[in-house]
Amino acid sequence: MRPLYCRQMRILAGDLGGTKTALGLYERGGAGEHRLLARRVYASTEHHSLEQVLAAFLGEGHAPLDAAAFGVAGPVVAGRATITNLPWMVSAAQLQVLLGCNVALVNDFHAVALGVTQLADHELHVLQQGRKARGEPFAVIGAGTGLGEAIGVPTPQGICILAGEGGHCDFAPRDELEIRLLRYLAARHGRVSVERVVSGLGLTALYDFVVADGQAKDNPATRRRFEHEPVGAVIAELACDGGDPAAAAALALFVSLYGAQAGNLALTVLPQGGLFVAGGIAPKLVKQLADGAFLASFLAKGRMSKILETIHVAVVLQADVGLLGARAQAELLLQ
């Protein structure tokens, strides 16, 4: 291991998802300031392992390192994790040998929750002002390839993060349309989790559903684009520019379901420190999330609606919030 007596230390942060893996190399000065030395994004599915991605990154001459931390899209148990939507197994012990420094491995939304605490006001878009109280628990939710959730609890010793797998809770339909959606997805998958509808993969499933349900006609031109472009991005684009009624219906349903699950998380936690909507999809759909449908579903909780009106709700605009959180986790190793 490299001794930690240098004023300037090098920290490697990683955000590992089913679609992309982002790596950031930071230099930490003696006063605690950070300078980004290098940042790269890799297509996860084009690599067999995290080690292969790191070999490409470190081959550019970024070693040696003083500490590293990685947020991974899956549960972390005893320093090991398997990415939920990617066939990678990640081990903190193996990475420590490879990198020659202490390594922390945390759930990706553990990292996002830490990252949220470091954001400036301009890196957030407020959907509902509510009453944001310092020192109170906060929650994060975010749809990307999958759906992540976490809770942050301030303590005198620092932020305690409770990372869960709430995206894999059961999908609970609220009306006849969503009951039909549940039946449609149950025929495909058996059990239906929230992630089946509130995620990039879920957006694709919603497009298929609105066509099968007769709400809009299938569009051959859209299907052709699905073959060589990210399906979720295509649906979002065509929904926003009016190019495909099926895409518009799918996105409207997605926003409503997203708001409902955010409301479920808020009821579970009562996050008086705020609820933050993160993930790869939200920053691209700020206009749609802010048009009222998201908040309407968030608040539609019967006699609990008045309580949810007090919650501060904001969309995270900073795409590197996971990297910022992983960097913060790595900093704890330097202490």
Side-chain angles (χ1 to χ4, degrees):
M1 301 292 178
R2 188 183 180 202
L4 302 182
Y5 51 76
C6 300
R7 283 183 58 80
Q8 293 185 330
M9 300 179 185
R10 289 193 168 189
I11 295 173
L12 177 62
D15 184 10
L16 285 57
T19 301
K20 62 183 177 65
T21 293
L23 297 175
L25 180 68
Y26 299 88
E27 187 174 72
R28 180 182 183 273
E33 73 281 1
H34 296 90
R35 182 165 68 96
L36 180 63
L37 300 178
R39 178 187 179 277
R40 300 286 186 275
V41 178
Y42 301 86
S44 300
T45 54
E46 294 179 5
H47 298 81
H48 300 300
S49 65
L50 174 59
E51 286 81 359
Q52 189 181 62
V53 175
L54 289 172
F57 184 74
L58 297 176
E60 300 178 21
H62 299 316
L65 303 169
D66 295 294
F70 302 90
V72 300
V76 178
V77 179
R80 296 169 66 90
T82 299
I83 312 300
T84 302
N85 293 302
L86 192 70
W88 288 6
M89 194 286 292
V90 184
S91 164
Q94 292 179 10
L95 292 173
Q96 190 159 301
V97 172
L98 175 67
L99 299 175
C101 65
N102 288 329
V103 173
L105 202 62
V106 297
N107 175 268
D108 59 337
F109 267 74
H110 181 124
V112 168
L114 280 178
V116 162
T117 66
Q118 302 178 53
L119 298 180
D121 288 346
H122 71 271
E123 296 174 303
L124 298 165
H125 180 90
V126 176
L127 300 180
Q128 175 172 274
Q129 191 61 47
R131 295 191 295 271
K132 185 179 177 183
R134 289 183 176 274
E136 293 293 331
F138 64 93
V140 292
I141 183 171
T145 305
L147 179 66
E149 297 181 359
I151 301 163
V153 183
T155 76
Q157 292 74 38
I159 301 292
C160 176
I161 305 298
L162 307 175
E165 291 294 335
H168 296 281
C169 290
D170 298 324
F171 166 52
R174 299 168 294 164
D175 55 27
E176 181 57 38
L177 172 64
E178 293 179 13
I179 289 172
R180 296 200 303 273
L181 173 61
L182 175 63
R183 289 172 177 156
Y184 174 81
L185 292 174
R188 279 186 170 188
H189 307 290
R191 179 180 179 268
V192 182
S193 67
V194 180
E195 185 174 276
R196 293 289 187 190
V197 295
V198 184
S199 65
L201 296 173
L203 192 50
T204 306
L206 293 177
Y207 184 91
D208 292 339
F209 166 69
V210 298
V211 170
D213 196 53
Q215 300 176 46
K217 292 182 179 180
D218 204 354
N219 188 319
T222 299
R223 291 290 182 184
R224 285 194 293 272
R225 290 187 62 183
F226 286 173
E227 295 174 3
H228 55 84
E229 297 181 53
V231 176
V234 172
I235 292 173
E237 175 196 326
L238 295 176
C240 294
D241 67 14
D244 186 338
L251 185 59
L253 183 53
F254 173 84
V255 169
S256 179
L257 292 166
Y258 204 167
Q261 181 60 16
N264 289 339
L265 177 59
L267 282 180
T268 301
V269 179
L270 293 182
Q272 297 301 323
L275 184 137
F276 300 91
V277 185
I281 294 177
K284 302 170 186 175
L285 296 177
V286 173
K287 181 179 179 181
Q288 288 72 30
L289 294 176
D291 72 359
F294 180 94
L295 268 183
S297 289
F298 177 84
L299 295 171
K301 304 299 182 186
R303 53 188 172 175
M304 293 292 105
S305 297
K306 291 295 183 182
I307 292 177
L308 294 191
E309 288 175 359
T310 69
I311 304 296
H312 178 84
V313 182
V315 175
V316 175
L317 303 178
Q318 171 57 265
D320 281 343
V321 63
L323 277 184
L324 296 178
R327 186 188 71 188
Q329 187 68 40
E331 290 234 47
L332 296 176
L333 300 177
L334 297 177
Q335 298 174 11

